[in-house]
Amino acid sequence: MRAFLFIIFLLIVVSAQAQQSNFFKKIDFRIDIAQYQYPEDSRVYKDEKTLFFKAENKDEIMEITLYPEEGIKIKRLHVAGSADYMVLDSLKEIGNKYFRGKIRLLNLPDIRFLRLVMIAETDAGLITDEIKMSPFFETFVGAPVEAQDLYIGEDRTIELPAKNIFNIRIPSDWQVAGPLKFRLQKGDNNTIKFFVHPESVGYKDLVLNLKTVSPFLKDNNELSFDLPPVKLKFNIKPSRIGYVNLDRSEFFLDPASLQTEEVQVDFHRNFELGKTYRIENQQKPGGRLVAELYTVSVVGNSNKILAVLRPYTLHKMSEGYLFIKDGDELEFITNFNVLEKPTVENISVLREGQDWTSSTVVYPGERVEVKIEGRGLYKADFYFDGVKDVSYDTTRTSDNVKFYLIKIPTDIIKRRISLYMNGIITKYDLQLREFQVPKALGFVGVSYDKEVIPLSGNVFNKPVLTRAPIKDVNIVFFENNIDTKTRFYGKQYLNIEVRIYNTKSDLIEFQKIDNVVVCPGEASPRYFFYDVKDCKKGEININDYLLHKTYDMEGWWRLEITIKHNDQKYSVPGYSQKITFIKEMITALDLQVSFPTGLLVKKFSQSGFGNLTGISIAFLAQFSFYDQQKVGKLKPYKIGAGFIALDIFNLSENNKQRDLGFVVLGSLFPVRKESKFSFPLYAGCGYLLKNNTFFAVFGPGVTFNF
């Protein structure tokens, strides 16, 4: 169980991160005594390199030997799990040269194409590789050596020996070859039933050219679907018993036996007019009553007798002859089909990669498989109204089920595709719906005092910093980018959320714009079929929904716009994109009261280094500078100008240091933190009013910010 979970984990990681890459120079595959090399023995089939290998049994054990490319150091090598095979021996490294392991291939007759996925752990990460393989089985159809005797009017069933008949395409319809009408049917125990009806005397050679379901390798290693020709010889002789033909070979059964069929029968002198004959399934008395035949009259000079046929039970020509009796006395031999009247009971739809569903909803441009279930469908022809691209799977047809592969036209107008059977409309139909699939938000653009920028670019992968006022932010839609000529997404349902944060990252406004519907534009092949009554026309101006307008945003305010799909409208998760605008500032002006203490004051009118003062008071208008590398963060210095009162708290009369002056100060904040209370280091110069002299100051202080 741990190994299984580990493999699942590896598959998830590989699908998200690893890139597929060849990491081997060759791989040897061995089944029993047969050996194959990849890529030498591979063939290109349906534009893919495929390794075809011969299988004998339903399950086979395959040994794998893998030789890595030189220069690739593989730590571990795994075969990914699959329902088509089971890992018996995991791949193990042998002598630092190659890896070897075994798998058991399962249910090979049911596998059309096998994909073997290998995962290698290297120093550079995980590497995956995929080998496409296809099993084929030795397939043939035999024929009797001697000529077969046939009699006019009598049907004959001949069993042809065959091998692996599951891989043989057998046409189910009646075919004509000269004096012979014939058809094929799969029998039991690897035999094919050959039904033949002769119509004239003589010798006849017949050649059957059959094909396989899956290709196989011929002796010259070429791919082929063609089996060797099957040659049959017949000696057609005159009828042994009076055989009469009806003008039709198929009739439908009325369960209540109330319906009769008017037919014409070959004239024979032993027929009596105005008489009812029994038609039974055996020559001896007491056979099962299949139908009754009432002779009415001779049809002019046509050598035909007009009669009425009343079927009572089902019968197939392949089950044997029918015997026309007068009471219990055998008069003639004939044969015809009495089939169930075609009836549809259910239809189902299958999409690639999904399961059958009873929902008959289809979408323009998609290809789906339709399964029709019922009774008597063998002779039923179906037609899908308004659909031309229809293919019928003859390999899986039966009296109870038929399969059709159809492609819904991209320009179909009808909302319901009616199902017709034998030219008559049924109560079943396919319901056409427009696609409603979330598409990546590349069809949305944003304009903010500039050109429109699509969300599919890289501009909005990070915050947009702007120093100028943001006059307007508009959401713009590119309707023609939703649908393409081959892929439809339908109407897009969006929700828009707008948030504004102040300088302290407090949310000060939140607005929602719900139920924004964007319809595909005129470039879409389905443009004229969408209901556009609720579709948004034009752009959305965000300021129309805000109390705090974008052009009034202050420094370092943040505007966040989130555009996302309305998940309630979709069966799968939609897409989301967040756009962030930040009002950037270079400087900030504030008023400051500080208390420089122990300043060293150098008066230019006096000699020496200056004197230390006591506590002073400075009133300054200061400029702060923002760090351009960090959003909203101030640099640790300021520059301001204002007044300074030196040694103001020393009130003695002989205090010569007390003075008032104009000053230009620069301050350095050792603690890089915005607060009302801090301890800066000052340096500056100015002019003292009392001493009437210029001066310079340097020293610490205490600052209060407002």
Side-chain angles (χ1 to χ4, degrees):
M1 184 65 183
R2 291 182 178 177
F4 176 78
L5 292 175
F6 181 69
I7 290 176
I8 294 298
F9 171 75
L10 286 179
L11 288 176
I12 294 173
V13 174
V14 168
S15 64
Q17 299 179 355
Q19 296 181 346
Q20 187 167 340
S21 172
N22 290 334
F23 56 79
F24 60 85
K25 54 186 175 183
K26 72 172 183 174
I27 302 179
D28 290 341
F29 298 95
R30 187 166 65 87
I31 299 178
D32 199 8
I33 61 173
Q35 188 164 343
Y36 306 88
Q37 281 192 352
Y38 186 88
E40 287 80 0
D41 294 334
S42 62
R43 298 289 182 273
V44 175
Y45 179 69
K46 291 187 177 180
D47 299 328
E48 289 189 86
K49 189 179 292 184
T50 306
L51 180 68
F52 289 84
F53 63 90
K54 183 177 179 181
E56 296 288 345
N57 304 301
K58 178 181 178 182
D59 299 343
E60 294 280 10
I61 295 178
M62 174 182 284
E63 182 182 76
I64 305 172
T65 305
L66 186 144
Y67 298 85
E69 286 280 6
E70 295 181 2
I72 296 181
K73 179 61 177 176
I74 297 178
K75 299 178 180 179
R76 294 185 66 186
L77 188 60
H78 309 278
V79 176
S82 171
D84 295 333
Y85 54 80
M86 178 174 63
V87 178
L88 298 179
D89 294 334
S90 58
L91 293 171
K92 296 181 177 61
E93 189 172 13
I94 309 297
N96 292 325
K97 295 181 179 180
Y98 56 85
F99 289 82
R100 178 176 291 165
K102 288 182 181 179
I103 61 174
R104 182 188 297 277
L105 303 175
L106 306 173
N107 299 318
L108 288 175
D110 298 331
I111 296 178
R112 288 291 181 266
F113 292 100
L114 168 71
R115 295 184 183 271
L116 184 67
V117 179
M118 290 170 290
I119 307 169
E121 297 181 39
T122 68
D123 292 336
L126 295 180
I127 306 177
T128 65
D129 211 332
E130 181 181 82
I131 307 297
K132 186 175 182 181
M133 311 173 75
S134 179
F136 68 89
F137 292 81
E138 183 180 0
T139 307
F140 78 90
V141 179
V145 177
E146 300 178 352
Q148 302 295 301
D149 291 335
L150 302 177
Y151 295 91
I152 292 295
E154 296 185 22
D155 290 345
R156 174 85 180 276
T157 301
I158 301 173
E159 290 192 348
L160 305 179
K163 185 176 182 180
N164 294 322
I165 62 174
F166 65 83
N167 194 37
I168 303 175
R169 291 185 182 272
I170 299 180
S172 58
D173 298 332
W174 283 92
Q175 303 179 51
V176 178
L180 298 176
K181 291 177 63 179
F182 69 92
R183 72 179 182 90
L184 300 172
Q185 178 181 307
K186 291 183 180 180
D188 300 328
N189 300 323
N190 269 330
T191 60
I192 294 178
K193 290 184 178 181
F194 178 82
F195 303 98
V196 60
H197 177 82
E199 296 183 339
S200 63
V201 177
Y203 290 93
K204 173 62 179 176
D205 291 341
L206 179 64
V207 178
L208 299 177
N209 295 307
L210 300 177
K211 294 181 178 293
T212 60
V213 176
S214 300
F216 63 93
L217 285 178
K218 299 197 298 187
D219 293 338
N220 58 359
N221 285 333
E222 290 184 359
L223 288 177
S224 177
F225 287 90
D226 300 319
L227 290 174
V230 180
K231 299 180 180 179
L232 301 171
K233 298 180 179 180
F234 299 102
N235 181 16
I236 307 173
K237 300 178 181 181
S239 175
R240 295 178 293 185
I241 306 176
Y243 190 96
V244 293
N245 287 299
L246 280 64
D247 61 347
R248 285 186 289 158
S249 61
E250 292 180 345
F251 302 91
F252 293 123
L253 177 65
D254 176 17
S257 299
L258 299 177
Q259 184 176 352
T260 60
E261 300 280 352
E262 191 176 78
V263 296
Q264 294 185 23
V265 186
D266 291 343
F267 176 82
H268 197 281
R269 56 185 176 83
N270 290 340
F271 266 126
E272 295 183 30
L273 299 179
K275 188 170 186 175
T276 300
Y277 291 87
R278 291 173 59 88
I279 301 178
E280 298 181 358
N281 68 332
Q282 69 180 35
Q283 184 175 351
K284 297 178 181 180
R288 175 169 56 89
L289 180 62
V290 176
E292 287 182 341
L293 183 72
Y294 175 74
T295 55
V296 178
S297 63
V298 177
V299 182
N301 297 323
S302 63
N303 204 27
K304 296 288 184 180
I305 294 176
L306 181 65
V308 175
L309 181 75
R310 186 187 299 275
Y312 288 107
T313 187
L314 300 175
H315 175 77
K316 291 185 179 179
M317 297 173 66
S318 60
E319 296 173 352
Y321 298 110
L322 293 175
F323 302 89
I324 302 177
K325 298 180 181 180
D326 182 3
D328 284 333
E329 294 297 325
L330 177 63
E331 295 289 342
F332 309 99
I333 295 177
T334 188
N335 210 356
F336 52 82
N337 289 322
V338 181
L339 306 174
E340 283 190 288
K341 190 173 183 179
T343 304
V344 179
E345 297 176 343
N346 185 48
I347 62 174
S348 307
V349 175
L350 175 68
R351 292 177 173 84
E352 185 176 358
Q354 300 184 24
D355 295 326
W356 287 102
T357 175
S358 58
S359 171
T360 58
V361 173
V362 294
Y363 300 92
E366 73 169 347
R367 188 178 294 275
V368 298
E369 187 173 14
V370 179
K371 177 170 64 175
I372 303 175
E373 298 173 281
R375 299 192 309 272
L377 301 184
Y378 183 75
K379 284 299 179 180
D381 293 324
F382 292 98
Y383 167 71
F384 296 88
D385 189 22
V387 180
K388 296 181 179 180
D389 191 349
V390 180
S391 59
Y392 168 48
D393 189 348
T394 60
T395 62
R396 294 186 289 166
T397 187
S398 71
D399 238 12
N400 303 108
V401 64
K402 279 192 172 184
F403 296 89
Y404 289 87
L405 187 65
I406 69 174
K407 183 177 182 181
I408 310 301
T410 58
D411 57 351
I412 189 168
I413 301 175
K414 300 181 178 181
R415 289 297 175 183
R416 291 185 177 273
I417 301 172
S418 299
L419 178 66
Y420 285 77
M421 181 178 66
N422 295 334
I424 301 175
I425 192 170
T426 68
K427 67 178 182 179
Y428 296 92
D429 54 36
L430 301 177
Q431 303 172 46
L432 186 73
R433 297 286 185 271
E434 299 296 342
F435 275 102
Q436 194 165 310
V437 179
K439 184 174 184 180
L441 298 174
F443 64 92
V444 182
V446 176
S447 170
Y448 58 101
D449 302 334
K450 297 182 179 180
E451 72 278 3
V452 179
I453 302 175
L455 295 187
S456 56
N458 298 323
V459 174
F460 299 114
N461 289 345
K462 56 184 179 180
V464 177
L465 301 177
T466 176
R467 298 175 184 174
I470 305 174
K471 296 181 180 178
D472 278 309
V473 177
N474 297 315
I475 308 299
V476 183
F477 304 105
F478 310 110
E479 293 90 349
N480 287 332
N481 291 353
I482 299 177
D483 284 352
T484 66
K485 293 183 178 180
T486 58
R487 183 73 171 91
F488 305 135
Y489 294 86
K491 298 164 69 171
Q492 301 294 300
Y493 296 86
L494 303 176
N495 291 335
I496 302 175
E497 297 178 353
V498 184
R499 295 174 173 84
I500 296 181
Y501 298 87
N502 62 15
T503 306
K504 298 180 180 180
S505 296
D506 296 328
L507 179 64
I508 61 174
E509 185 170 351
F510 173 64
Q511 301 290 347
K512 292 183 67 175
I513 309 173
D514 291 332
N515 301 319
V516 178
V517 184
V518 185
C519 291
E522 296 182 3
S524 169
R526 300 295 302 170
Y527 172 73
F528 294 102
F529 305 104
Y530 289 117
D531 183 3
V532 299
K533 290 184 293 185
D534 59 345
C535 293
K536 176 65 180 178
K537 298 294 184 181
E539 59 190 30
I540 295 176
N541 189 328
I542 296 299
N543 277 326
D544 292 343
Y545 299 87
L546 294 177
L547 299 176
H548 299 79
K549 307 301 182 181
T550 59
Y551 43 77
D552 290 333
M553 289 175 58
E554 300 183 10
W556 302 112
W557 281 25
R558 186 168 79 250
L559 171 68
E560 288 186 357
I561 303 173
T562 302
I563 303 174
K564 59 184 178 180
H565 282 99
N566 184 352
D567 288 339
Q568 295 180 354
K569 297 289 186 178
Y570 302 100
S571 59
V572 296
Y575 295 88
S576 177
Q577 176 75 44
K578 184 165 71 172
I579 308 156
T580 302
F581 295 93
I582 298 177
K583 181 65 170 64
E584 186 183 25
M585 295 183 64
I586 300 177
T587 61
L589 177 65
D590 58 0
L591 297 177
Q592 183 188 85
V593 176
S594 61
F595 298 87
T597 303
L599 291 177
L600 178 63
V601 178
K602 167 61 180 173
K603 298 176 182 177
F604 291 168
S605 60
Q606 297 178 358
S607 60
F609 292 100
N611 300 312
L612 292 175
T613 67
I615 299 175
S616 303
I617 296 179
F619 296 90
L620 302 174
Q622 289 200 126
F623 285 97
S624 302
F625 301 90
Y626 286 96
D627 193 334
Q628 301 302 303
Q629 305 299 321
K630 298 178 182 179
V631 176
K633 297 297 182 181
L634 291 169
K635 291 186 177 181
Y637 56 83
K638 297 182 180 181
I639 297 177
F643 299 93
I644 187 171
L646 297 176
D647 206 13
I648 191 171
F649 292 103
N650 187 350
L651 301 178
S652 62
E653 295 181 358
N654 58 354
N655 182 7
K656 298 180 180 180
Q657 298 294 331
R658 187 167 58 215
D659 203 341
L660 177 66
F662 300 104
V663 67
V664 176
L665 278 181
S667 55
L668 179 65
F669 293 79
V671 180
R672 298 176 60 183
K673 180 179 179 182
E674 292 184 358
S675 63
K676 297 293 184 181
F677 184 73
S678 59
F679 299 91
L681 185 64
Y682 292 99
C685 60
Y687 185 81
L688 292 175
L689 299 178
K690 179 180 178 181
N691 288 279
N692 196 24
T693 182
F694 289 96
F695 70 100
V697 295
F698 177 80
V702 179
T703 299
F704 296 93
N705 293 319
F706 297 94

